[in-house]
Structures are given as structure tokens and as C-alpha cells.
């Protein structure tokens, strides 16, 4: 183990997800440090793995029965080397400091790859919005913002959504920020269209992941037309990944939530997808209900005692993990390979374990790491910020076109960096190296701060 990894483990005891994210970057950027001794001299690894600032705070709120609850809120401001901190907020009971730090760390490199001026951050709370009334969610969001507002701002730190934080939560958070700060600014992205949001922002992460996949397939003279695809999740990223795959002629046969997954051999067409959107976004139902509506589909309950996830064990050509971290382990990776999957595009953040990634790379799959494949979301958040600053709205075609150009450019950047460092076709190495060089060059320009 490298000295720097030992240091990270010692200083961040027990933070497994953070260790995992750092380890992956450190391994892949070693050749960059060997070629540029000034980076080691300036201790860039020690600096980039230490958050610039972490805010942890109490979030008390009252439920509809008058009972008081206390959650823990976080904002990890990881790096402002190339712009104000930017990254989503996650509301999920599994949220810990380790999860926040891994997400913030990934975000730094992802944002650099977009070439937009955005540093990296992430935040959230161990609050579970599932089963809560709108009023309870509103009170929680208001209490959360009552502390967070003093740390963020349109030129300081601009949060957005993530797991459990969608249009409803962004609305409540924004309302409270506006009241406390007494100003209407673009302090959050993912806003609704009629008060400062951008067209294509809800679609951007899913669409971007599919645009990236299409670019990878083009390097082998292939398209998505007729390809069977496995998609996990049923939230924002999964829904719009499915939508774009359908538009490009592919066939999606799976979707999931934390309770289980559905397999629809006939394919999830536009009508079925519209049902899933209603089910998940307005009715806040479970994916299990899909089977009641479409009885030909199979529903399998999640079983955490299994050593693999059966969702990844179906014949397919492409896989789009779009739920959460570490959702594909080594056994799942072998199942994917043995079922004929030749492309994995990570819509979620760090969905593949290190073992799974090694299997994908050894078996020459087209493998796109999340920090490249899912960068479309934050890229369009950057475009939302630009539109807010100019106080105008671009049409849908313009935003979508810019998204396509950005995804194409990230794809090329990854490929070029991989070739430059002797790893042709390795998108993981390419993404880490290109993002890293962009950020550390900015750090060196700005001196030791
Ligand atoms: P949503 O909350 O909209 O959807 C998340 C989906 O994943 C839900 O179906 C949820 O099921 C499922 N899920 C969440 N946690 C688990 C778990 N522990 N096990 C199994 N399933 C789980 O979130 P998003 O679609 O926005 O985010 C999905 C992923 O994409 C995350 O990794 C996020 O960080 C990443 N991402 C999101 C971006 C965005 O713009 N939204 C941008 C870049 C990355 P259930 O309904 O049961 O909770």
C-alpha cells in the first residue's frame, strides 16, 4: 500500500467508501506523478484528499403527530480549485460522513471533466423521505436549510439534488434559502422551470450516460439499435437512461428499487416507462407494483443474503447501473460478462466494486466510470447556473445539444488521456488522469492554500 493511502486510512478511520474512491484515483494517477515530479513536491495528493471544509450539523424537525426527530446534516466542501463547490444533496438513511466524502471526492474530478468552472462538494442527511408526508418533508428541508444557508451562495457553494432529493425537496430548500438570505439567486440547481430551472436538467444525467455509451459503441462501429440493456434503479437517473435508450432503438428489460427488481422480457416501452414515472414520482410507489400492471413481468424481492444481485444475471449487451454505490460486486461482474454484456456505463456513483472493475477491464468491456458517464447532470447544472447569471432560458434543443457536445468531449478527453499514459481504451484511467491534471494544475497556480 502506498504511503499516501496509509495516511488517508489513518486520518479517516473506518470510512470505507472514502478509502475506496481515493484508492482508485491514487492507483491510476501514479504515472502522472512519476512524469511530473513537481506534483509530488507540492504534496498534491495529501492536499486533494483532505476536504477544504466539512460542516456537520443537527437537523431537528417535527412530524405530523408532533413528535420531535433529530437527523444529522452534512456538507463536504472538497475542492474549490476550479470554481465554487458544486455537488448534490442526498437524503437517505444510509448517509454517513464516509459516503459524503467519497461522493465529494468523485465530484471534484467529474466537474473538472465537464470543463465548466465548478469545484467539488456534496452534502445531505441521514433522513429518509420515504413514507413522509409533504409537510414533514417541507419541515425537514426548512430545518436543514436553516443551518446550511450560511455556508452556501451562488458564488460559494451551489448544491443540487441526488438520491432522495428531487424537484419537491429542491423547492422547499430554495424557499427557505430565499427567505433567510433575502435574495433570489441561483443558489441551487435542479430548480423547477417556472422559477429558474433549466430545460433538460432532470433528463441530463440519464441522457448523458446514454450519450457516453453511444460514443463508446461508436469506437467499435456499433450503435444501441436493437441492444438489450439492463438498467438498475427507478429514480431520476434510471428513468431518463431508459427514455434515451428507447429513443436510440435499444431495449430495456429491468428496473429496480431498494425492495427488488422487475424483469420484463418484452421490453419496457414508452407507455410502461410513463407508468413507472407516475408510480415513482407522484404516487411514490414501489417497483413491485409494475408487476400488477404488467403481469408478464417478473418481480424478484431484494435478498441481501445473496452473494450477487440477480438483476445483473440476464442475457444482455449493455448495463446501466443507476441506483447506488457498490451495486455490482465481483460475482455480478462475472454474471454480466458470462451473459454477453460488453458495455457498462455507470449512471450511479461508484456502483462497481474494485473487483468488478478489474473484471470488466480484463475482459475488454467498454467500461465508463461514473465520474465520466454521469457527468451530464452536473454539466447541465453548470448550464443552469450560466442561464441564471444571464437571467435568460435557453430552449430545450440548445441545452440538449450542449449536453451532447460536453459528453462527446468528456469521451474524447478520457480516451486521449488514456493513450497519453499508455492505457489505450481504459476510460477509468483516462477519466481519473484528465480530471486530476486539470484540478492540480489549478491548485499549483493558486499557491499553497
Ligand atoms: P433517486 O432517488 O431518484 O433514485 C434512486 C433509485 O435507486 C431509487 O430507485 C432507489 O430505490 C434506488 N436505491 C437507492 N439506494 C438504494 C440501495 N441502497 N439499494 C438499492 N436501490 C437503491 O436518485 P438518482 O436517480 O438521482 O440517483 C441515482 C444514482 O445516480 C446515485 O448514485 C446518484 O449519486 C447518482 N447521480 C445522480 C445524479 C442526478 O442528477 N440525480 C447525477 C450524478 C449521479 P428506492 O426508491 O427504494 O429508494
Amino acid at each position: 500500500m502506498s504511503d499516501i493511502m496509509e495516511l488517508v486510512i489513518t486520518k479517516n478511520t473506518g470510512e470505507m467508501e472514502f478509502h475506496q474512491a481515493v484508492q482508485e484515483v491514487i492507483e491510476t494517477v501514479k504515472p502522472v506523478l512519476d512524469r511530473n515530479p513537481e506534483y509530488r513536491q507540492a504534496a498534491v495528493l495529501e492536499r486533494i484528499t483532505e476536504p477544504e471544509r466539512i460542516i456537520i450539523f443537527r437537523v431537528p424537525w417535527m412530524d405530523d403527530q408532533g413528535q420531535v426527530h433529530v437527523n444529522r446534516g452534512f456538507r463536504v466542501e472538497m475542492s474549490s480549485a476550479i470554481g465554487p463547490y458544486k455537488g448534490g444533496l442526498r437524503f437517505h438513511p444510509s448517509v454517513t460522513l464516509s459516503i459524503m466524502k467519497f461522493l465529494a471526492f468523485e465530484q471534484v474530478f467529474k466537474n473538472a471533466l465537464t470543463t465548466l468552472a465548478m469545484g467539488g462538494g456534496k452534502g445531505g442527511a441521514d433522513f429518509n423521505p420515504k413514507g413522509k408526508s409533504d409537510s414533514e418533508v417541507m419541515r425537514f428541508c426548512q430545518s436543514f436549510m436553516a443551518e446550511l444557508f450560511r455556508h452556501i451562495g451562488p458564488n460559494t457553494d451551489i448544491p443540487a439534488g441526488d438520491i432522495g432529493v428531487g424537484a419537491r425537496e429542491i423547492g422547499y430548500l430554495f424557499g427557505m434559502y430565499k427567505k433567510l438570505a433575502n435574495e433570489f439567486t441561483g443558489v441551487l440547481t435542479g430548480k423547477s422551470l417556472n422559477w429558474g430551472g433549466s430545460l433538460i436538467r432532470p433528463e441530463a444525467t440519464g441522457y448523458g450516460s446514454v450519450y457516453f455509451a453511444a460514443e463508446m459503441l461508436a469506437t467499435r462501429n456499433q450503435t444501441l439499435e436493437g441492444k438489450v440493456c439492463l438498467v438498475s434503479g427507478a429514480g431520476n437517473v434510471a428513468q431518463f437512461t431508459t427514455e434515451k435508450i428507447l429513443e436510440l432503438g435499444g431495449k430495456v428489460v429491468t428496473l429496480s428499487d431498494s425492495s427488488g427488481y422487475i424483469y420484463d422480457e418484452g421490453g419496457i416501452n414508452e407507455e410502461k416507462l410513463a407508468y413507472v414515472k407516475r408510480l415513482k414520482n407522484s404516487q411514490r410507489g414501489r417497483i413491485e407494483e409494475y408487476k400488477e400492471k404488467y403481469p408478464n413481468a417478473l418481480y424478484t424481492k431484494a435478498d441481501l443474503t445473496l452473494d450477487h444481485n440477480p438483476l445483473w444475471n440476464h442475457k444482455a449487451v449493455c448495463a446501466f447501473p443507476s441506483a447506488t454505490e457498490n451495486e455490482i460486486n465481483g460475482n455480478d461482474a462475472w454474471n454480466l460478462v458470462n451473459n454477453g454484456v460488453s458495455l457498462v456505463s455507470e449512471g450511479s456513483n461508484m456502483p462497481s466494486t474494485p473487483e468488478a472493475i478489474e473484471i470488466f477491464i480484463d475482459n475488454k468491456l467498454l467500461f465508463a466510470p461514473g465520474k465520466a458517464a454521469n457527468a451530464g447532470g452536473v454539466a447541465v447544472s453548470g448550464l443552469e447556473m450560466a442561464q441564471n447569471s444571464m437571467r435568460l432560458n435557453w430552449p430545450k434543443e440548445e441545452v440538449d445539444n450542449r449536453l451532447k457536445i460536453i459528453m462527446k468531449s468528456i469521451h474524447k478527453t478520457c480516451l486521449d488521456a488514456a493513450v497519453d499514459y499508455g492505457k489505450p481504451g481504459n476510460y477509468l484511467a483516462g477519466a481519473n488522469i484528465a480530471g486530476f491534471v486539470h484540478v492540480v494544475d489549478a491548485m499549483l497556480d493558486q499557491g499553497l492554500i
Side-chain angles (χ1 to χ4, degrees), residues 90 92 103 110 122 130 162-164 201 205 233-238 256-259 280 286 322-324 347-349 374 377:
R90 176 177 290 192
H92 194 273
L103 288 164
K110 180 189 311 193
K122 200 84 187 188
K130 240 177 270 164
D162 190 76
I163 290 179
R201 176 59 190 91
T205 308
N236 171 271
V237 180
S256 68
D257 60 24
S258 48
S259 311
K280 282 293 178 184
R286 309 304 297 155
S322 308
T324 193
S348 36
N349 282 310
N374 71 34

Side-chain angles (χ1 to χ4, degrees), residues 229-280:
C229 303
L230 306 175
V231 177
S232 65
N236 171 271
V237 180
Q239 291 171 16
F240 290 107
T241 295
T242 303
E243 184 166 291
K244 188 51 79 177
I245 293 172
L246 295 187
E247 246 180 76
L248 299 184
K251 179 176 169 185
V252 175
V253 292
T254 57
L255 283 174
S256 68
D257 60 24
S258 48
S259 311
Y261 83 99
I262 52 112
Y263 174 70
D264 188 341
E265 198 177 2
I268 299 163
N269 59 19
E270 283 82 0
E271 180 226 311
K272 293 172 180 176
L273 176 61
Y275 165 76
V276 172
K277 285 186 185 174
R278 275 197 311 278
L279 175 72
K280 282 293 178 184

Side-chain angles (χ1 to χ4, degrees), residues 15-199:
E15 296 179 358
M16 306 304 286
E17 294 84 3
F18 183 52
H19 301 167
Q20 184 181 334
V22 170
Q23 172 90 48
E24 180 204 290
V25 170
I26 285 181
E27 274 172 14
T28 45
V29 301
K30 189 172 175 299
V32 183
L33 295 169
D34 293 343
R35 194 188 286 181
N36 300 279
E38 69 277 15
Y39 289 168
R40 272 213 180 91
Q41 179 73 25
V44 291
L45 283 180
E46 288 83 342
R47 289 159 65 188
I48 212 168
T49 52
E50 185 69 24
E52 287 180 15
R53 186 179 302 109
I54 298 180
I55 302 130
I56 301 182
F57 51 101
R58 175 170 65 196
V59 190
W61 59 281
M62 191 177 279
D63 68 21
D64 291 343
Q65 283 69 48
Q67 171 135 15
V68 172
H69 300 265
V70 178
N71 285 96
R72 184 169 289 175
F74 300 89
R75 187 71 184 166
V76 177
E77 297 181 335
M78 193 57 118
S79 167
S80 60
I82 59 171
Y85 311 108
K86 178 90 196 90
L89 297 172
R90 176 177 290 192
F91 291 167
H92 194 273
S94 65
V95 162
T96 58
L97 183 58
S98 171
I99 302 247
M100 295 286 97
K101 278 160 82 174
F102 113 68
L103 288 164
F105 187 71
E106 290 275 299
Q107 196 80 44
V108 172
F109 306 102
K110 180 189 311 193
N111 293 3
L113 287 172
T114 68
T115 71
L116 302 175
M118 299 181 290
K122 200 84 187 188
D126 58 353
F127 169 74
N128 188 359
K130 240 177 270 164
K132 306 286 188 302
S133 69
D134 285 353
S135 316
E136 289 172 331
V137 171
M138 182 181 74
R139 286 195 293 276
F140 177 80
C141 288
Q142 291 179 340
S143 179
F144 183 85
M145 189 52 88
E147 173 58 35
L148 187 68
F149 95 98
R150 68 188 91 248
H151 307 288
I152 62 176
N155 296 308
T156 312
D157 185 351
I158 307 94
D162 190 76
I163 290 179
V165 178
R168 174 182 60 170
E169 290 76 16
I170 292 290
Y172 295 147
L173 290 163
F174 184 84
M176 193 62 180
Y177 178 86
K178 188 185 64 171
K179 184 181 169 107
L180 293 169
N182 193 27
E183 52 179 33
F184 194 117
T185 57
V187 70
L188 292 164
T189 57
K191 299 184 290 296
S192 285
L193 269 184
N194 56 348
W195 48 273
S198 172
L199 285 157

